[in-house]
Each structure stands twice: as C-alpha cells, then as structure tokens.
Amino acid sequence: MGRYILKRLILFFPVIFGVVTLVFFLIHLMPGDPVEVMLGETALSSEKEDLRKSLGLDKGIGEQYLIFLKNARKGDLGKSVHTKRPVLETVIERYPATLELTIAALIIAILISIPAGIISAVKKDSFVDRGFMLFALLGVSIPNFWLGPLLIILFSIQLGWLPVAGRESIYHLILPAITLGMGMSAILSRMTRASMLEVLNKEYIITARAKGLSSAVVIMKHAFRNALIPVVTVIGLQFGALLAGAVITETIFSWPGIGRLMIQGIYTRDYPIVQGCILIIALSYVLINLITDILYSYIDPRIKYEK
C-alpha cells in the first residue's frame, strides 16, 4: 500500500504540470486581443501598449509560457488588472467560502442519497424504490440556475424563512448548499442503488443471511462496505465537479467564493484573475482524485495494487 501511495504521489506532479500548461494555453489562445477587450477600442495606443507590457503580452507565446511557469513555481500568478492585488492572494481569500459551500453540499448529498440508494436496493421494484428513483430523475433534470431562484422565491420571498444572499451566518449557507447538492444526491443515489443490487446477489451475502445475522448487519457491514468503492469514486469525481459547479450557485446567491470571483473577472475582462481561478479549481480537482484513489485501499482491503 505504501508503494502504491508513493507512486500516486509521484504521478501527481506530472498531472499538475499538465493542468498548469493546459490552463495557460487555453486562456492565451482564445481569439481576440485581450488588451482591446479590457480597455475598449477607443483607448489610446499608448495605454494599450502599457497594459500589454504589464501583462507580458508583448512577448512571444513560448516566452510567456516559460515566464508563467517560473513565476507559478514561486506562487506568483500575476496581479489583477483592476485591483492590482496579487492573484493568488485574492483567490486564496475566496477559496474558504467555496470550500465551505462545497463541503456543505456534499454532506447534504450524502445524507440524502446513501440511505435512499440502500433502501431502494433492498426494496427493489417497490413503491418506495420507484419514488426514490423518480426523485433522482428530477434531481438530475433540474439545473442549478433554475432550482436556485425557485428556492429563493419559496423560502426567502414567500415564506421569509431564509436569507437570499451573502455569507453572514449558517442560515445563508442552507439554500446554496441545497441547490448545489441536489444534483449530486440524485447521481449518488442511483450509483448506490446499482452498486448495492450487484452486491446483494453475491454468495457471501447469502451465506451471511444463512448464519442468522440480522438484516441490518448483513446490509451495512457486509453489503454496503463492499459496494462502497464505486460510490466513493463518484463522490470524489462529483466533489471536484461541485467546485466547478459552484460558479453558477455562487453567482445566484452572491456567495463570495472563487466561482463568483471568476464570473466578476470575466465581466471586467480581468484575465489574470480568471486564469488563477480556473487553475485553482483544476488543481483542487486533481488533488481530490488523488485522495480518492488512496482511500480505496482503506475501504476495501481485497484490492491488490501492482508493485
């Protein structure tokens, strides 16, 4: 296990290098002149030239890339065009808010989906099973940009129970977390059900029942634990997707995270900020996948990793 973890950690750095490279070229190879977009066509040539030099856009794409790698190695992602503050410092200030929202959404999704998936598998083809799967279908079908305003209208405007926007208390977290977590809970409940159904037909489950073990012990200790690998895989992948999906939810609820910061950067044509936000989200995604791979060995000891 130790050698596998070490191998994964070694492979982590080439992946990080690839992500950094991909983000750089995706931003810099976009059509159009970013300087003209930032300043407008009516700006003076001298102003455009000064901004182009300050952003390093007067150099070739290869030289820009090498400078970017050199600075990124030191934690320097440039400065915001509008605030003149370091990009990394600005993004790190916003990151805890996004992480808080993502974790809250993940907790809500797990609390809803895991019991729903287990019950659906145990009660296969029953009324309860069909009801949970209908819920999962609705959860997958309803987009965040529709669910968020709907929750605001119902719980904030009509009932007045919860605040609309901001991050001042735990109550401000409820609606955006539900909005972000509903889609994941639908996906996760379907995966939990499918994984449990596959495991419940195994011989060791039949043997456990034959020994007289209670249904709760058979389901939770034997079936659910062995069905957990694909569920953990989906949780890991979806957690990274939640970070990226928080962009829409943060905008709807004015949540001060990096998703909203990126949208603001797009509106103001602040390309260093946009590049920094995308890079941090991508790196978080890669790190979460690494943690998910390492968790496999602790969840299912039967897994044998190549040495």
Side-chain angles (χ1 to χ4, degrees), residues 107-179:
I107 292 173
I108 289 174
I110 291 175
L111 291 177
I112 294 174
S113 61
I114 298 297
I118 294 175
I119 294 173
S120 293
V122 174
K123 304 288 187 180
K124 181 185 176 184
D125 295 331
S126 67
F127 178 78
V128 175
D129 180 26
R130 292 189 177 92
F132 279 131
M133 290 304 99
L134 177 61
F135 165 77
L137 179 61
L138 290 174
V140 172
S141 304
I142 298 175
N144 290 355
F145 61 80
W146 185 85
L147 179 61
L150 183 66
L151 294 178
I152 291 175
I153 292 172
L154 178 59
F155 292 102
S156 297
I157 298 176
Q158 297 292 335
L159 299 175
W161 291 352
L162 296 169
V164 176
R167 187 185 171 227
E168 299 176 7
S169 67
I170 187 67
Y171 299 105
H172 290 79
L173 179 62
I174 296 175
L175 289 184
I178 292 175
T179 301

Side-chain angles (χ1 to χ4, degrees), residues 11 20 31-32 36 70 88 119 138-139 144 196 218 229 240 249 251 255 263 297:
L11 292 175
V20 171
E36 284 194 4
K70 181 180 178 181
L88 186 60
I119 294 173
L138 290 174
N144 290 355
M196 284 290 294
V218 172
I229 286 293
T249 305
T251 303
W255 188 263
I263 294 297
S297 58

Side-chain angles (χ1 to χ4, degrees), residues 199-211 218:
V199 170
L200 286 173
N201 294 323
K202 298 294 184 181
E203 292 183 357
Y204 58 85
I205 298 297
I206 299 174
T207 302
R209 292 185 187 277
K211 289 181 178 180
V218 172

Side-chain angles (χ1 to χ4, degrees), residues 173-297:
L173 179 62
I174 296 175
L175 289 184
I178 292 175
T179 301
L180 191 59
M182 285 300 292
M184 181 180 177
S185 67
I187 296 172
L188 194 57
S189 63
R190 293 171 69 91
M191 176 56 69
T192 303
R193 178 183 183 274
S195 185
M196 284 290 294
L197 286 175
E198 183 178 352
V199 170
L200 286 173
N201 294 323
K202 298 294 184 181
E203 292 183 357
Y204 58 85
I205 298 297
I206 299 174
T207 302
R209 292 185 187 277
K211 289 181 178 180
L213 296 177
S214 65
S215 296
V217 172
V218 172
I219 292 170
M220 298 307 300
K221 185 176 180 180
H222 296 278
F224 180 63
R225 183 175 180 179
N226 289 299
L228 204 53
I229 286 293
V231 175
V232 170
T233 302
V234 172
I235 290 176
L237 293 174
Q238 288 297 311
F239 186 74
L242 287 179
L243 285 172
V247 173
I248 298 174
T249 305
E250 288 180 4
T251 303
I252 293 172
F253 293 95
S254 297
W255 188 263
I258 57 176
R260 187 163 180 245
L261 177 65
M262 184 171 68
I263 294 297
Q264 291 171 341
I266 293 173
Y267 285 154
T268 58
R269 303 299 189 263
D270 197 337
Y271 283 89
I273 286 290
V274 175
Q275 180 174 267
C277 290
I278 295 174
L279 182 60
I280 294 299
I281 291 174
L283 293 180
S284 299
Y285 203 116
V286 174
L287 180 60
I288 291 166
N289 285 337
L290 172 65
I291 295 173
T292 302
D293 285 346
I294 294 175
L295 282 176
Y296 287 165
S297 58

Side-chain angles (χ1 to χ4, degrees), residues 17-28:
F17 175 77
V19 168
V20 171
T21 301
L22 184 61
V23 170
F24 174 85
F25 282 105
L26 284 177
I27 293 294
H28 284 72

Side-chain angles (χ1 to χ4, degrees), residues 17-148:
F17 175 77
V19 168
V20 171
T21 301
L22 184 61
V23 170
F24 174 85
F25 282 105
L26 284 177
I27 293 294
H28 284 72
L29 294 179
M30 290 176 62
D33 186 355
V35 173
E36 284 194 4
V37 174
M38 292 177 191
L39 297 180
E41 297 180 358
T42 59
L44 298 175
S45 298
S46 57
E47 293 177 342
K48 294 180 181 179
E49 192 62 29
D50 290 340
L51 180 57
R52 189 171 279 106
K53 287 182 179 179
S54 66
L55 295 176
L57 298 177
D58 57 326
K59 301 178 176 63
I61 187 70
E63 187 177 355
Q64 290 182 48
Y65 174 63
L66 294 177
I67 294 174
F68 174 74
L69 288 181
K70 181 180 178 181
N71 293 335
R73 186 172 55 88
K74 299 182 294 184
D76 181 9
L77 298 179
K79 292 185 177 181
S80 168
V81 174
H82 292 277
T83 64
K84 307 302 180 185
R85 294 184 60 202
V87 170
L88 186 60
E89 178 183 321
T90 304
V91 173
I92 288 177
E93 284 182 358
R94 299 289 195 101
Y95 193 77
T98 296
L99 195 60
E100 176 185 321
L101 174 59
T102 304
I103 292 175
L106 181 64
I107 292 173
I108 289 174
I110 291 175
L111 291 177
I112 294 174
S113 61
I114 298 297
I118 294 175
I119 294 173
S120 293
V122 174
K123 304 288 187 180
K124 181 185 176 184
D125 295 331
S126 67
F127 178 78
V128 175
D129 180 26
R130 292 189 177 92
F132 279 131
M133 290 304 99
L134 177 61
F135 165 77
L137 179 61
L138 290 174
V140 172
S141 304
I142 298 175
N144 290 355
F145 61 80
W146 185 85
L147 179 61

